[in-house]
Amino acid sequence: MILTVTMNPAYDMTYRVERFERGQAHRVRSVEQRIGGKGINVTRVLNQLGKYARATGFADHAFAAAAELEMPVDFVHALPWVRRTVVISESDDGTATALWEPGARVSNPHAAEQLTIRVAGLLPDINGLVISGSLPGGIDPGLPAEIARIAVEAGVPTICDVDGEALRLAAEIPGVVLMPNTEELERLTGLVPVTPDEIVHAVRPLLKRGVAAIIATRGAEGMIAITPEGAWVAELPEVLAGNPTGAGDSAAAAVIAALSERGDPDWPAILTNAVATSAAAVVIPVAGEIDRCLRTRIAPAVVVEKLARTTT
């Protein structure tokens, strides 16, 4: 089993209108609501990849009940309510405007301890862990790092896809795998790396501190995996148009699916699969879904190039 942790879940709302104009009233053509959050999206994609995945984290009773109708879940009921992420989608030209609510403040003073104990109790039964997304108010930014530390020490491959102070603290955990996007990598390193070689140089201090791997997701420019053994860049020769929301979560699902198999990681193969899975998510209008046929078809087209060694 692979476990995902979502501490700040959301109801993903999509409002479809003809054209959105500020200051005007709009007649909404259709409304779609589904449970969401980065770890929830990872769980969905893992299940589509044929991996058994369970979701945990924080939620309220209503969200946990709705999630249980779709996937195996084991949430800590610590939120007074669950936020919404609203996307206004225009049929006129495909433009999307997003509004992200910050989320409720955790009301349970023992929530962090309860989640840590819950994850620790599941460690003997899991072979992969993904901690992803933002944190609700009232939760210490060190919680993802603490959970990651416990998992890594138990021999469980662990990905942290978080941001800000939570990412900085997670980067102090030996053996963890980080998956920052371009902006998150800049905040983590204090640098603005542009080229693949500059990215490799920027993350070398993280590797020296014991991080197992950094997979930098770069949108249309593909991904770069940097490990103590080497670095590889992978991309598609042609960019696919669509909705990039959830593409990074799909990539995380592909990476943890491979790492959960144990053995020495084949990073070129992992990157190929991650890029193809991410692209297969872009063509789907909602996050957490992939076009599996497209993924299979485009995987052979992914171009992987090895870069300079990272230990020099």
Side-chain angles (χ1 to χ4, degrees), residues 63-132:
F63 186 93
E68 194 170 11
L69 296 174
E70 183 180 341
M71 63 186 67
V73 300
D74 190 9
F75 283 103
V76 174
H77 297 157
L79 296 174
W81 48 270
V82 171
R83 68 191 176 117
R84 292 166 298 179
T85 59
V86 179
V87 173
I88 304 171
S89 178
E90 302 178 49
S91 57
D92 186 39
D93 60 2
T95 299
T97 302
L99 303 172
W100 309 133
E101 293 182 0
R105 187 176 184 85
V106 169
S107 57
N108 180 350
H110 306 292
E113 180 184 5
Q114 290 173 352
L115 180 59
T116 302
I117 292 173
R118 188 158 303 186
V119 174
L122 290 170
L123 289 178
D125 301 318
I126 67 175
N127 55 356
L129 175 68
V130 178
I131 308 166
S132 57

Side-chain angles (χ1 to χ4, degrees), residues 3 76 82 119 122 139 152 167 172 180 192 243 245 247 251 275 282 300 312:
L3 185 68
V76 174
V82 171
V119 174
L122 290 170
I139 293 300
V152 171
L167 177 59
E172 301 291 335
V192 186
N243 176 21
T245 304
V275 169
V282 168
T312 57

Side-chain angles (χ1 to χ4, degrees), residues 10-305:
Y11 292 104
D12 291 339
M13 309 289 298
T14 301
Y15 292 90
R16 291 185 172 85
V17 300
E18 181 69 26
R19 184 173 60 183
F20 179 72
E21 297 181 19
R22 290 182 58 194
Q24 300 296 317
H26 299 80
R27 188 173 297 279
V28 178
R29 289 188 166 187
S30 66
V31 179
E32 181 178 341
Q33 174 178 296
R34 67 198 322 241
I35 60 167
K38 289 180 68 64
I40 296 291
N41 294 335
V42 174
T43 304
R44 282 195 179 105
V45 174
L46 281 168
N47 289 332
Q48 292 171 74
L49 295 176
K51 296 290 185 178
Y52 178 68
R54 178 180 293 270
T56 188
F58 299 129
D60 62 6
H61 289 277
F63 186 93
E68 194 170 11
L69 296 174
E70 183 180 341
M71 63 186 67
V73 300
D74 190 9
F75 283 103
V76 174
H77 297 157
L79 296 174
W81 48 270
V82 171
R83 68 191 176 117
R84 292 166 298 179
T85 59
V86 179
V87 173
I88 304 171
S89 178
E90 302 178 49
S91 57
D92 186 39
D93 60 2
T95 299
T97 302
L99 303 172
W100 309 133
E101 293 182 0
R105 187 176 184 85
V106 169
S107 57
N108 180 350
H110 306 292
E113 180 184 5
Q114 290 173 352
L115 180 59
T116 302
I117 292 173
R118 188 158 303 186
V119 174
L122 290 170
L123 289 178
D125 301 318
I126 67 175
N127 55 356
L129 175 68
V130 178
I131 308 166
S132 57
S134 60
L135 305 182
I139 293 300
D140 190 287
L143 181 58
E146 175 61 16
I147 294 175
R149 181 189 64 78
I150 295 171
V152 171
E153 289 179 355
V156 175
T158 301
I159 293 174
C160 274
D161 184 8
V162 292
D163 192 12
E165 181 67 2
L167 177 59
R168 187 189 70 78
L169 293 171
E172 301 291 335
I173 305 302
V176 74
V177 175
L178 306 178
M179 290 192 67
N181 61 28
T182 300
E183 292 78 17
E184 292 163 350
L185 185 64
E186 291 175 1
R187 288 189 285 270
L188 176 62
T189 63
L191 302 172
V192 186
V194 177
T195 68
D197 286 338
E198 288 174 346
I199 292 174
V200 170
H201 175 75
V203 304
R204 278 177 179 158
L206 304 177
L207 296 176
K208 290 180 180 179
R209 292 204 296 267
V211 171
I214 300 99
I215 302 175
T217 57
R218 308 168 70 215
E221 295 182 303
M223 303 177 195
I224 300 176
I226 309 104
T227 77
E229 291 73 37
W232 299 264
V233 58
E235 61 184 337
L236 280 170
E238 295 184 8
V239 178
L240 297 179
N243 176 21
T245 304
D249 303 329
S250 298
V255 173
I256 198 63
L259 296 180
S260 70
E261 300 294 337
R262 306 302 175 105
D264 293 331
D266 182 346
W267 287 108
I270 291 174
L271 269 188
T272 296
N273 197 12
V275 169
T277 306
S278 178
V282 168
V283 300
I284 303 295
V286 295
E289 305 288 341
I290 61 172
D291 185 329
R292 285 177 287 182
C293 293
L294 176 65
R295 171 178 170 269
T296 301
R297 191 166 66 250
I298 65 176
V302 176
V303 178
V304 181
E305 177 186 356

